[in-house]
Amino acid sequence: MRQVVIPRAGGYDRLTFETRPEPTPAADEVVVASEAIGVNYADCVVRMGLYASARKYVGWPITPGFEFAGTVHAVGASVTDLKPGDRVFGVTRFGGYSTHVTVPRHQVFSLPARLDMAQAAGFPTVFLTAYFALFELAHPRPGNTLLVHSAAGGVGGALLQLGRIAGCRTVGVVGASHKVEAARALGADVVIDKSREDLWRAAERAAPHGYDVVLDANGVSTLRESYRHLARPGKLVLYGFHSMLPREGGRPNWVKLAADFLRTPRFNPLDLTGDNASVLAFNLSYLFERRDVLAESMGRLLTWLDEGRITPPPVTRFAFDRVADAHRALESGTTVGKLVLVP
């Protein structure tokens, strides 16, 4: 099998390829021959050496990647409900950038009829992230108003669709004019193009009494104002810190990173109580071992997919050998939807 291996933290040149023997599954494992591999911003953070769970679970060298789609290549002795040739997709805690991925059985799902391989490979991470943020943490009520940053991205687009299912009014924020229609198509009731208007003035016009839930993966660039624009009570849900990281070059600016770290708001429990507000955060990579959460979340998502209530994000395909180009494009902030590697 062939896989991407990052020997140590760095830029795009750290994305090297190695050929290794095909894996043999343990009793409860499935080996999938990948036909498409999802690319996520977290993979770029892994490459830079800044992803905490990558250091905790793997270290260096590491093969990034959280999601894949393909055909079953082999199954372990205790796996009786899948066989070689079955079309599947799934999630993995790292190791996804490979022509063959080995995972526990509970992390693999039958390929939905509505999705091709590339769409399926780009589906689980963004929708599981959005589902956990909205339904496990925020618990919005019908009629609530949500502010969704990065609304034309993979997770942002999933949040807009799930917000519609929850009966909420959604205000999406995009960073470029070519992303406005994408956010509208995904269900945003209002779209703020922060490249053409002041973000927070527009946010106040859209929700004069504040937002019941704000979903923010930007970090320091918006975090303080996101909290300030909550309704009372309100919930701020964090799932990333993208604005602390580079848009080009592929390497962190350590001076900027340190300055942004110092500028990042610290939320005092006494202030939170007085403000009648909540700040919630999570990292999806820590949750894959929670079979109950994964089964329930994916079960509901696949039901909504089958009913046509959610649609996969638009996909841009990159050949496997162009993994560096995929990272470069994703970090630029200009992409819409998901990027997928095709072995």
Side-chain angles (χ1 to χ4, degrees):
M1 69 177 186
R2 192 161 178 255
Q3 63 186 177
V4 174
V5 177
I6 304 172
R8 62 186 186 278
Y12 309 121
D13 59 309
R14 296 287 192 262
L15 296 162
T16 64
F17 288 87
E18 294 185 6
T19 300
R20 297 181 177 178
E22 291 183 5
T24 300
D28 65 340
E29 290 182 333
V30 178
V31 179
V32 177
S34 300
E35 296 184 29
I37 300 159
V39 180
N40 294 282
Y41 193 83
D43 304 337
C44 304
V45 184
V46 169
R47 191 199 71 241
M48 296 178 203
L50 300 174
Y51 207 73
S53 66
R55 296 194 299 270
K56 175 179 177 179
Y57 290 112
V58 183
W60 304 112
I62 188 171
T63 295
F66 293 104
E67 56 190 348
F68 57 89
T71 57
V72 173
H73 180 72
V75 298
S78 65
V79 178
T80 59
D81 56 343
L82 288 175
K83 63 184 186 301
D86 286 348
R87 293 160 58 83
V88 297
F89 75 115
V91 294
T92 176
R93 188 159 58 195
F94 312 111
Y97 285 21
S98 180
T99 59
H100 294 75
V101 180
T102 305
V103 292
R105 170 64 187 90
H106 75 275
Q107 293 176 208
V108 178
F109 308 89
S110 295
L111 190 79
R114 288 178 175 266
L115 303 184
D116 61 28
M117 287 290 183
Q119 291 172 322
F123 181 87
T125 296
V126 295
F127 273 97
L128 286 170
T129 299
Y131 182 95
F132 195 88
L134 207 58
F135 295 113
E136 292 286 334
L137 297 184
H139 297 288
R141 294 177 176 275
N144 279 176
T145 300
L146 316 180
L147 181 67
V148 179
H149 290 282
S150 305
V155 178
L159 284 166
L160 292 177
Q161 295 184 67
L162 296 185
R164 181 173 54 196
I165 288 173
C168 297
R169 175 175 177 262
T170 56
V171 178
V173 181
V174 299
S177 297
H178 72 277
K179 298 183 178 185
V180 170
E181 287 307 316
R184 284 202 181 111
L186 290 166
D189 296 288
V190 178
V191 181
I192 299 171
D193 177 4
K194 63 182 181 182
S195 71
R196 300 176 64 89
E197 58 184 328
D198 182 271
L199 164 58
W200 298 112
R201 287 181 183 172
E204 288 167 8
R205 288 196 301 271
H209 301 293
Y211 292 86
D212 300 287
V213 181
V214 177
L215 300 125
D216 192 334
N218 293 327
V220 65
S221 66
T222 54
L223 202 50
R224 195 178 303 278
E225 288 298 315
S226 288
Y227 180 81
R228 196 173 73 80
H229 284 79
L230 288 175
R232 297 297 187 259
K235 298 173 183 177
L236 171 59
V237 183
L238 317 177
Y239 59 97
F241 300 89
H242 295 175
S243 65
M244 299 175 72
L245 299 171
R247 285 291 186 96
E248 58 184 22
R251 298 174 183 271
N253 179 329
W254 293 104
V255 173
K256 178 183 182 302
L257 197 61
D260 285 348
F261 175 79
L262 294 174
R263 291 194 302 118
T264 299
R266 272 63 173 171
F267 297 100
N268 186 304
L270 296 174
D271 293 336
L272 292 172
T273 304
D275 291 342
N276 199 19
S278 302
V279 178
L280 305 156
F282 70 104
N283 181 324
L284 188 69
S285 68
Y286 288 105
L287 300 173
F288 288 159
E289 62 195 23
R290 286 289 306 274
R291 296 189 181 206
D292 56 340
V293 174
L294 184 58
E296 178 185 318
S297 303
M298 191 61 82
R300 295 186 73 185
L301 289 168
L302 292 179
T303 296
W304 291 331
L305 178 69
D306 186 58
E307 294 171 347
R309 301 178 71 187
I310 58 176
T311 59
V315 171
T316 301
R317 295 166 173 81
F318 287 78
F320 197 31
D321 288 343
R322 293 183 57 210
V323 59
D325 291 336
H327 276 217
R328 190 176 290 110
L330 193 56
E331 291 171 24
S332 73
T334 61
T335 61
V336 174
K338 283 299 296 279
L339 310 186
V340 168
L341 300 175
V342 181

